[in-house]
Amino acid sequence: MSDDVSAGPDRSTLRLALVVGGLVLAVLLGFGLGRMNVNGAATGSPSLAAEHTDPPGVAPHNHGSATGVDQGAATEPGGLAVSSAGLTLAPLATEFAAGRPGQFRFQVRDAQRRPVTRFAIVHDKPMHLIVVRRDLTGYQHLHPTMAADGTWSVPLTLAQPGLWRAYADFTVVADTGAQTAVTLGTDLVAPGDYQPRPLPGPATSTTVDGFTVGYQGTPQTGAAVPLTFRVDGAGGAAPLERYLGAYGHLVALREGDLGYLHVHPETELVDGQIKFWLTTPGPGRYRLYLDFQVNAEVRTAEFTLTVP
């Protein structure tokens, strides 16, 4: 009678097969979970107004370039073009009667000319609109509201005849959640006899509504330089209040092409003063507009600055 030979594998072979099979299963499960995580992140649907946050340790910075990257060292000012970064500023009308209240309506459209409807909240608002006449007078800092179809609207009065520039300063939110800051500009017109005013000479101090506002610092081309602003009332230092999440907002416009810089300050006052870091992209004359709030009222102090 012959010896009985088993047809199945011995125990050593069986153990080896189980180990190899377990490793293969673990690899497949890990690959599948990794794909689930990637897909989940990619298909997230951000809300209409996502919060804009800067990376930890980011210093006060400019919104300066045409593509709107937050910068401490902007190379070119923004607002020089109506289209940038695949986005276009599309006003519904550009002509206003001088001195008469009107409504400025516009859309931000993507490369397929579809209205964009996802914007991040930056300094308490999803859209900052700056309007100024081409002689750098009549400065206004406005905050439009958006309808469901992506049309923004805001009351607007162009006080004097002439050509005006409107800057839309905003941050769009992509389907992935990525945020892109952009500043686009367009011309508006108020027909009539345009008599431009000469730009005031450079000064580091001015008065507005009984407040004396002065600054210290000497901006340089291509370098981030501190500017500190002090606001004094009749009894000394004014009790500054936060406006749009900060103690002050500084816009700089370059004479000639009206290049735009929006500069964010330190989060806290420094020795009772508002501290900014300003990077000017080139030599020339600039008009500075400082928004500050006291007793729940916002005022704007204006300065002329010459950068050699």
Side-chain angles (χ1 to χ4, degrees), residues 17-142:
L18 289 173
V19 171
V20 172
L23 290 173
V24 171
L25 180 61
V27 170
L28 290 175
L29 284 173
F31 177 74
L33 288 173
R35 288 182 58 86
M36 287 174 64
N37 288 337
V38 169
N39 292 338
T43 58
S45 178
S47 63
L48 167 65
E51 289 292 337
H52 168 83
T53 57
D54 296 311
V58 170
H61 52 279
N62 300 344
H63 282 192
S65 70
T67 54
V69 177
D70 292 351
Q71 301 178 71
T75 56
E76 288 297 332
L80 298 176
V82 73
S83 295
S84 181
L87 300 167
T88 299
L89 178 61
L92 276 63
T94 58
E95 184 173 311
F96 294 79
R100 293 186 182 178
Q103 284 281 330
F104 181 44
R105 296 183 175 88
F106 62 93
Q107 292 180 335
V108 176
R109 296 175 181 168
D110 64 16
Q112 288 74 43
R113 298 197 60 77
R114 298 171 302 191
V116 177
T117 58
R118 292 187 176 95
F119 296 83
I121 299 294
V122 181
H123 285 276
D124 291 349
K125 299 291 181 180
M127 176 70 68
H128 296 264
L129 183 74
I130 303 299
V131 179
V132 67
R133 200 166 71 156
R134 281 201 163 266
D135 60 359
L136 299 176
T137 64
Y139 171 88
Q140 301 177 60
H141 184 168
L142 307 172

Side-chain angles (χ1 to χ4, degrees), residues 79-243:
L80 298 176
V82 73
S83 295
S84 181
L87 300 167
T88 299
L89 178 61
L92 276 63
T94 58
E95 184 173 311
F96 294 79
R100 293 186 182 178
Q103 284 281 330
F104 181 44
R105 296 183 175 88
F106 62 93
Q107 292 180 335
V108 176
R109 296 175 181 168
D110 64 16
Q112 288 74 43
R113 298 197 60 77
R114 298 171 302 191
V116 177
T117 58
R118 292 187 176 95
F119 296 83
I121 299 294
V122 181
H123 285 276
D124 291 349
K125 299 291 181 180
M127 176 70 68
H128 296 264
L129 183 74
I130 303 299
V131 179
V132 67
R133 200 166 71 156
R134 281 201 163 266
D135 60 359
L136 299 176
T137 64
Y139 171 88
Q140 301 177 60
H141 184 168
L142 307 172
H143 300 107
T145 56
M146 190 187 75
D149 67 350
T151 299
W152 294 89
S153 62
V154 66
L156 176 63
T157 300
L158 302 184
Q160 302 293 333
L163 289 175
W164 295 68
R165 189 71 174 169
Y167 303 89
D169 184 343
F170 57 90
T171 298
V172 295
V173 182
D175 289 342
T176 61
Q179 299 184 11
T180 303
V182 183
T183 301
L184 302 177
T186 190
D187 283 337
L188 308 176
V189 61
D193 183 17
Y194 173 43
Q195 298 184 5
R197 300 177 188 174
L199 195 64
T204 59
S205 180
T206 189
T207 59
V208 52
D209 293 344
F211 292 93
T212 300
V213 185
Y215 77 86
Q216 292 182 325
T218 305
Q220 303 173 22
T221 297
V225 174
L227 291 186
T228 55
F229 288 82
R230 180 181 176 88
V231 181
D232 287 307
L240 294 170
E241 301 162 351
R242 291 187 183 272
Y243 167 59

Side-chain angles (χ1 to χ4, degrees), residues 244-264:
L244 300 176
Y247 283 107
H249 293 270
L250 183 65
V251 168
L253 298 178
R254 184 167 62 186
E255 183 185 35
D257 62 2
L258 270 62
Y260 169 95
L261 295 171
H262 183 183
V263 193
H264 296 168

